[in-house]
Amino acid sequence: MADEELHETDSNDQKDWQNEVKAEETSAEDAKDVAESVESGKSDASEDEDETYGVDMEQVQAVLNATADKATLTPQMQRMMNRQAENTKRVEETIKGTKSNPRWFVPVFCAFMIVGLIWCVVYYLSPTGSWPIPNIGAWNLAIGFALIMVGFLMTMGWR
């Protein structure tokens, strides 16, 4: 152990600081070039994207909004427009077919649960358990819990 050097280093393990500094300078220059190209014209980038996909994005928006003229569209765009129309029709039919509860339904089940809770609280706070109905004792709790359960069961039918 005394024969080994404590701070032995290998030249391959050391960082090459000159190459690292050069790489940072080139990445900073690349970032400046990208920023300048973005500032010079954002429309060039969107035109490049349109050329990449071969489809004008304004035309796609017109198809999705159903404002495009079908005669001027490619067959693929016509199929896409037809699919969009079918999906819209299906959603509208689904919305028409949904059932909903009458307006009084939610207030009634909320009222049942609140009245049941108040019934139980009044029983617990009354002296000798004589309220809300005297002479039935702990059955007041059963009535309160029954009211709460009726309200809870009504929530299961809520749409």
Side-chain angles (χ1 to χ4, degrees):
M1 196 158 158
D3 297 331
E4 293 181 28
E5 290 184 27
L6 293 177
H7 299 288
E8 185 177 330
T9 58
D10 187 10
S11 62
N12 294 333
D13 293 337
Q14 294 180 350
K15 288 185 178 181
D16 189 359
W17 294 104
Q18 290 177 339
N19 286 340
E20 191 173 310
V21 170
K22 287 179 185 177
E24 287 177 4
E25 289 173 359
T26 56
S27 65
E29 289 173 4
D30 291 342
K32 286 180 186 177
D33 291 341
V34 169
E36 289 173 3
S37 66
V38 168
E39 289 175 7
S40 67
K42 292 182 180 179
S43 62
D44 295 339
S46 64
E47 290 174 6
D48 292 341
E49 288 177 6
D50 290 348
E51 291 173 6
T52 303
Y53 295 114
V55 177
D56 182 23
M57 294 314 284
E58 290 176 4
Q59 192 175 14
V60 171
Q61 283 293 342
V63 167
L64 293 176
N65 295 331
T67 58
D69 183 23
K70 287 188 176 183
T72 62
L73 297 176
T74 64
Q76 294 142 338
M77 296 293 276
Q78 288 176 356
R79 283 195 306 270
M80 188 169 83
M81 191 168 186
N82 290 337
R83 240 181 291 140
Q84 185 69 22
E86 289 172 8
N87 288 342
T88 303
K89 186 192 310 181
R90 188 172 40 239
V91 167
E92 288 173 354
E93 289 173 0
T94 303
I95 291 171
K96 287 179 186 175
T98 58
K99 296 178 183 178
S100 63
N101 296 107
R103 295 176 63 110
W104 54 264
F105 193 79
V106 174
V108 168
F109 79 69
C110 288
F112 270 120
M113 289 191 285
I114 291 171
V115 168
L117 178 68
I118 291 172
W119 194 288
C120 293
V121 168
V122 167
Y123 171 73
Y124 273 117
L125 295 180
S126 66
T128 66
S130 59
W131 289 91
I133 299 178
N135 298 330
I136 63 170
W139 284 102
N140 279 313
L141 281 179
I143 293 171
F145 282 120
L147 290 171
I148 293 171
M149 287 306 298
V150 167
F152 178 73
L153 291 174
M154 285 181 72
T155 62
M156 301 219 189
W158 183 28
R159 286 178 234 154

